[in-house]
Amino acid sequence: MPATGGAMLSSIHDDVAVESLRKRLALDPHRVRRLRNRLCKLQGSDEEALSELPTAARKAFADEILLHELTLDQRFDSQVDGASKLLFRTSDDLLLESVILRVATGRTALCISSQIGCAANCDFCATGKMGIARSLSAPQILDQVVQANQMLKPEGRKVRNIVFMGMGEPFHNVAAVNETLSKLVSPLGFDQSPRRTLVSTVGLPAAMVEFARKFPGVNLALSLHSAIQSRREEIIPLAAKYDLTELRAALQQVAEISQQSIMIEYLMLRGVNDGPQDRAALAEYLRGLPVHINLIPYNRVEAAPHLEGTAKEEREAFGAALRAEGFTVTIRYSLGADVDAACGQLVRRENRRIAAAAAQ
Ligand code: SF4
């Protein structure tokens, strides 16, 4: 079982604290490295990880170092498509979500959160409607990966792709996200392939370029949702701060630095961004950029009853027209509709349930 609580404890992902304790306990550095490997790379249980230490040192180590920053509060397994929604609780009682996606190819992806709530306030998003509670620390982001992998081990699965598409705007939490990415892709950390790691943003131009410079191998996705400024601002209020011209210049720079294509996320909202004018603006905006357009079906959320998804046939026609113009387009199949897999929905529901129970 994950160790929890203990506000004074340090994280296993805190290199300085772990090294200082290692010295104090006169532990062989190889032992500590093997413990971390077990936990971060080999999906070992906590007991298996601690068993890498000499018996005499295990208790002292466990008394000062937290292997987990989060407690699994609830788990919801989809009955239709293999998605599992994980609801985690922080030590100060805030809820966050991660989603395991068991893709039809047999691969496994994990969608992780970088914040609790989000200040971007996107019109279609349950998390945005919560406002921002706070940013997560790097150990809290990393623990979502550790715990998902521990859960997947008995199934013979391992997280292959990691996407920062859960709660929060990653570039509103740059320091922790950078620390997380460094540890994820480091051979001494999680040894995760950068190519199988993706950070999704609503589009903060300077941060996108900075990210590409720091992690040129890690994929970037831009939630564009409209190439018409006024319409984009209706969907993503934060877009008012960063106009599309500035954003396009950043996309160009990111592509030059990373030398790989950028994922353009386009949520298809009926009557909002799915008309011929929207498609023409999108094609015009992206022409000449190395992009891969991902058209996303919209799952209705309680928080936005005024929005509806575009019908399947129209989504396909929109995609076909873009392909005819030479773009690479995929139409994402939406996993986990029956477990509220769109970000923030479950946390909102749980918070309401807890508030209602407390009020009784
Ligand atoms: S879609 Fe992403 S960026 Fe927009 S409010 Fe939701 S969590 Fe924040």
Side-chain angles (χ1 to χ4, degrees):
M1 285 297 289
T4 55
M8 300 308 290
L9 304 192
S10 301
S11 164
I12 185 68
H13 307 296
D14 179 338
D15 298 336
V16 175
V18 170
E19 179 59 9
S20 135
L21 178 63
R22 185 199 68 74
K23 283 190 179 148
R24 204 150 27 89
L25 298 176
L27 287 169
D28 181 340
H30 293 300
R31 296 278 202 158
V32 175
R33 203 169 307 137
R34 282 211 297 267
L35 182 155
R36 278 194 164 138
N37 279 350
R38 278 272 192 155
L39 197 69
C40 302
K41 290 183 193 162
L42 302 174
Q43 303 175 272
S45 67
D46 297 358
E47 292 73 18
E48 285 168 339
L50 287 168
S51 73
E52 295 289 356
L53 300 180
T55 318
R58 282 177 208 165
K59 187 173 178 317
F61 194 91
D63 281 348
E64 292 196 35
I65 299 294
L66 271 177
L67 299 189
H68 300 285
E69 297 288 314
L70 304 171
T71 311
L72 183 67
D73 188 90
Q74 291 178 67
R75 170 180 169 165
F76 300 85
D77 295 312
S78 166
Q79 298 308 304
V80 292
D81 58 21
S84 295
K85 186 113 177 180
L86 311 176
L87 193 59
F88 289 111
R89 189 176 289 280
T90 62
S91 58
D92 53 348
D93 257 354
L94 294 169
L95 294 171
L96 63 124
E97 305 171 6
S98 314
V99 185
I100 294 173
L101 300 161
R102 295 173 187 81
V103 188
T105 55
R107 291 173 179 165
T108 309
L110 178 70
C111 174
I112 55 177
S113 292
S114 56
Q115 297 186 295
I116 295 178
C118 184
N121 193 22
C122 298
D123 193 29
F124 55 83
C125 174
T127 300
K129 307 286 176 199
M130 291 160 59
I132 178 76
R134 73 171 162 74
S135 285
L136 294 173
S137 66
Q140 287 171 328
I141 305 173
L142 290 166
D143 196 29
Q144 298 169 57
V145 181
V146 171
Q147 294 206 41
N149 264 328
Q150 287 181 326
M151 278 174 232
L152 286 164
K153 193 172 186 189
E155 300 175 29
R157 283 180 175 266
K158 188 173 187 195
V159 171
R160 181 182 189 273
N161 294 71
I162 297 178
V163 296
F164 285 72
M165 281 190 178
M167 299 168 72
E169 162 53 55
F171 295 147
H172 280 166
N173 187 15
V174 171
V177 167
N178 283 353
E179 190 185 335
T180 302
L181 285 170
S182 300
K183 286 189 160 31
L184 281 177
V185 301
S186 163
L188 296 176
F190 287 67
D191 207 14
Q192 162 77 12
S193 160
R195 297 272 180 236
R196 294 178 188 163
T197 309
L198 181 142
V199 173
S200 172
T201 176
V202 288
L204 283 71
M208 287 161 59
V209 174
E210 194 54 39
F211 159 83
R213 288 206 180 103
K214 261 197 162 65
F215 301 102
V218 175
N219 297 294
L220 182 73
L222 168 68
S223 295
L224 186 61
H225 306 325
S226 176
I228 299 171
Q229 182 67 27
S230 58
R231 205 155 292 173
R232 189 162 191 263
E233 287 176 27
E234 281 167 29
I235 304 170
I236 308 170
L238 191 71
K241 269 193 176 178
Y242 310 102
D243 75 42
L244 280 165
T245 314
E246 196 189 347
L247 195 53
R248 197 181 184 288
L251 286 172
Q252 185 82 57
Q253 262 184 287
V254 169
E256 279 161 17
I257 298 165
S258 69
Q259 293 293 308
Q260 55 187 354
S261 66
I262 301 166
M263 170 94 77
I264 300 294
E265 304 270 75
Y266 198 96
L267 188 67
M268 296 219 58
L269 299 166
R270 187 187 166 138
V272 176
N273 64 356
D274 63 353
Q277 193 200 1
D278 298 289
R279 199 192 62 232
L282 181 62
E284 175 66 24
Y285 186 71
L286 295 177
R287 196 161 288 125
L289 288 172
V291 292
H292 175 141
I293 305 171
N294 194 13
L295 301 178
I296 310 168
Y298 175 66
N299 287 332
R300 209 164 190 177
V301 301
E302 272 177 59
H306 56 293
L307 294 176
E308 265 182 68
T310 303
K312 188 163 180 266
E313 307 72 55
E314 288 162 39
R315 269 193 332 254
E316 279 167 5
F318 195 97
L322 288 169
R323 274 191 206 107
E325 296 212 39
F327 290 101
T328 305
V329 181
T330 45
I331 302 181
R332 192 157 86 197
Y333 164 57
S334 183
L335 287 166
D338 64 327
V339 289
D340 288 343
C343 80
Q345 291 186 74
L346 191 62
V347 165
R348 274 173 70 86
R349 203 178 72 200
E350 276 309 294
N351 281 340
R352 275 202 306 274
R353 192 182 60 74
I354 292 163
Q360 277 172 8

